């Protein structure tokens, strides 16, 4: 039995379609990578070359001197902003992920009155933009004395409705009810059943939700802008925004802002490279459901 032959007209049409699609993809990739390329090139220039040379043309290599000046300015305030961002992102994402897993697991494995209505209410939170609720959260933080503290940024970040949704999807797919029943018959309590049986099965969900939470916390800008007045508590994005706002009066900040912006995306890129396979599996699981 021989394979059916492809007519010349069909082969020509297929080749043309692939050429068009690959060309469009190449253009989109070039457009997407252009800002990052500009950032990489210009982070190596001093202030004079930033204005004296075109944006994508290399000049004298000053990246290391720019880094030294950046971390030395104002007793290393930029390093403090990076540390603050790591605190807000890592600690906040770990706590948010654990809460989301507990909530999603409970919604899937337990029966209680009003469960689906409560779950629908949680899902409504996905539709509400964070900027809309920032002012009410500021008023509540002001009444409790949390404004201008680390807690003002950490506490609101603990709530992640999309994480709860993903956790329920993963719990339904990865944690069989028979396994939980067997653990209960062996005498395990509910907390131990979750910690020793369900949580290891939910490790892909943990990494996926952690990556989403980490990215959201690292890029969070409006909430710290509303909550924080002390520059020592700023995350790196808010700190760079303040420097950028003073460029007209302080032109030497151009090199600081560009070099700092390049450094600020390194943790995000590292997290995506390390955890991208979990992120893709999370999106696939959500799409199936």
């Amino acid at each position: 039995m021989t394979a059916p032959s492809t007519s010349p007209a069909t082969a020509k049409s297929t080749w043309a379609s692939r050429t068009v699609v690959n060309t469009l993809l190449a253009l989109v990739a070039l457009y997407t990578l252009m800002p990052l390329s500009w950032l990489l090139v210009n982070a190596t220039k001093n202030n004079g070359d930033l204005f004296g040379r075109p944006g994508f043309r290399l000049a004298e290599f000053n990246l290391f001197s720019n880094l030294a000046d950046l971390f030395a300015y104002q007793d290393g305030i930029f390093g403090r902003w990076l540390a603050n961002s790591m605190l807000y992102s890592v600690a906040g994402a770990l706590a948010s992920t654990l809460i989301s897993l507990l909530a999603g697991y409970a919604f899937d494995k337990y029966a209680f009155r009003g469960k689906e209505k409560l779950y629908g209410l949680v899902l409504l939170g996905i539709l509400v933009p964070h900027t809309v609720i920032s002012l009410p959260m500021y008023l509540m933080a002001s009444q409790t004395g949390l404004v201008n503290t680390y807690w003002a940024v950490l506490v609101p970040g603990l709530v992640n409705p999309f994480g709860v949704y993903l956790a329920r999807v993963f719990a339904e797919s990865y944690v069989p009810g028979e396994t939980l029943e067997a653990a209960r018959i062996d005498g395990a309590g509910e907390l131990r059943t979750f910690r020793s049986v369900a949580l290891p099965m939910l490790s892909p969900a943990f990494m996926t939700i952690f990556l989403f939470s980490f990215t959201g916390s690292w890029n969070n800008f409006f909430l710290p802008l509303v909550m924080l007045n002390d520059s020592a508590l700023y995350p790196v994005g808010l700190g760079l925004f303040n420097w950028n706002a003073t460029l007209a009066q302080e032109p030497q900040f151009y090199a600081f802002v560009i070099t700092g912006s390049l450094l600020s995306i390194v943790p995000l890129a590292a997290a995506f490279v390390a955890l991208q396979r979990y992120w893709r599996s999370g999106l696939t699981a959500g799409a199936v459901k």
Side-chain angles (χ1 to χ4, degrees):
M1 185 175 180
T2 58
S5 60
T6 304
S7 66
T10 303
K12 186 177 180 180
S13 176
T14 303
W15 180 85
S17 299
R18 288 180 178 175
T19 302
V20 171
V21 170
N22 290 334
T23 302
L24 287 176
L25 290 176
L27 290 175
V28 171
L30 180 64
Y31 178 77
T32 305
L33 293 176
M34 191 175 292
L36 180 60
S37 305
W38 187 93
L39 201 59
L40 283 170
V41 171
N42 288 278
T44 65
K45 299 178 182 178
N46 56 30
N47 269 327
D49 289 332
L50 279 174
F51 296 99
R53 296 220 173 210
F56 288 97
R57 181 176 294 179
L58 292 172
E60 183 180 354
F61 190 80
N62 287 287
L63 176 61
F64 296 117
S65 61
N66 288 343
L67 290 173
D69 294 340
L70 177 66
F71 281 98
Y73 185 75
Q74 286 186 347
D75 298 325
I77 188 68
F78 182 78
R80 173 125 189 191
W81 291 342
L82 280 178
N84 290 341
S85 287
M86 291 300 293
L87 172 66
Y88 296 138
S89 302
V90 176
L94 284 174
S96 172
T97 301
L98 185 57
I99 292 172
S100 297
L101 285 178
L102 285 167
Y105 174 81
F107 276 121
D108 182 59
K109 301 304 178 189
Y110 294 98
F112 52 89
R113 187 176 181 182
K115 182 176 78 170
E116 294 304 327
K117 291 181 179 178
L118 182 59
Y119 182 63
L121 187 62
V122 172
L123 293 185
L124 281 178
I126 300 175
L127 305 177
V128 180
H130 287 179
T131 52
V132 173
I133 59 175
S134 292
L135 183 57
M137 285 193 293
Y138 171 79
L139 295 176
M140 288 189 290
S142 178
Q143 290 178 350
T144 55
L146 295 181
V147 171
N148 209 28
T149 66
Y150 286 112
W151 297 109
V153 179
L154 284 171
V155 172
L158 298 179
V159 180
N160 184 359
F162 185 64
V164 175
Y165 164 75
L166 275 183
R168 183 174 184 179
V169 170
F170 272 98
E172 184 178 355
S173 303
Y174 287 74
V175 185
E178 296 80 2
T179 305
L180 301 180
E181 287 300 324
R184 290 167 184 148
I185 291 173
D186 289 340
E190 294 301 321
L191 183 59
R192 185 177 178 184
T193 300
F194 174 79
R195 186 185 67 245
S196 302
V197 179
L199 193 56
M201 296 179 182
L202 291 173
S203 56
F206 186 93
M207 301 306 295
T208 302
I209 299 171
F210 175 81
L211 182 57
F212 279 118
S213 300
F214 179 85
T215 305
S217 298
W218 190 273
N219 292 325
N220 192 5
F221 172 77
F222 191 69
L223 183 65
L225 177 66
V226 171
M227 294 289 189
L228 303 177
N229 297 318
D230 186 358
S231 62
L233 302 178
Y234 285 175
V236 66
L238 184 56
L240 290 173
F241 170 78
N242 276 0
W243 278 356
N244 187 69
T246 61
L247 287 179
Q249 296 80 27
E250 305 286 348
Q252 73 273 15
F253 280 171
Y254 274 105
F256 288 174
V257 171
I258 293 173
T259 308
S261 299
L262 178 64
L263 286 182
S264 69
I265 63 175
V266 171
L268 282 179
F272 265 95
V273 170
L275 305 175
Q276 61 176 327
R277 61 193 180 98
Y278 299 106
W279 180 60
R280 287 202 301 266
S281 67
L283 288 180
T284 305
V288 170
K289 293 299 176 182

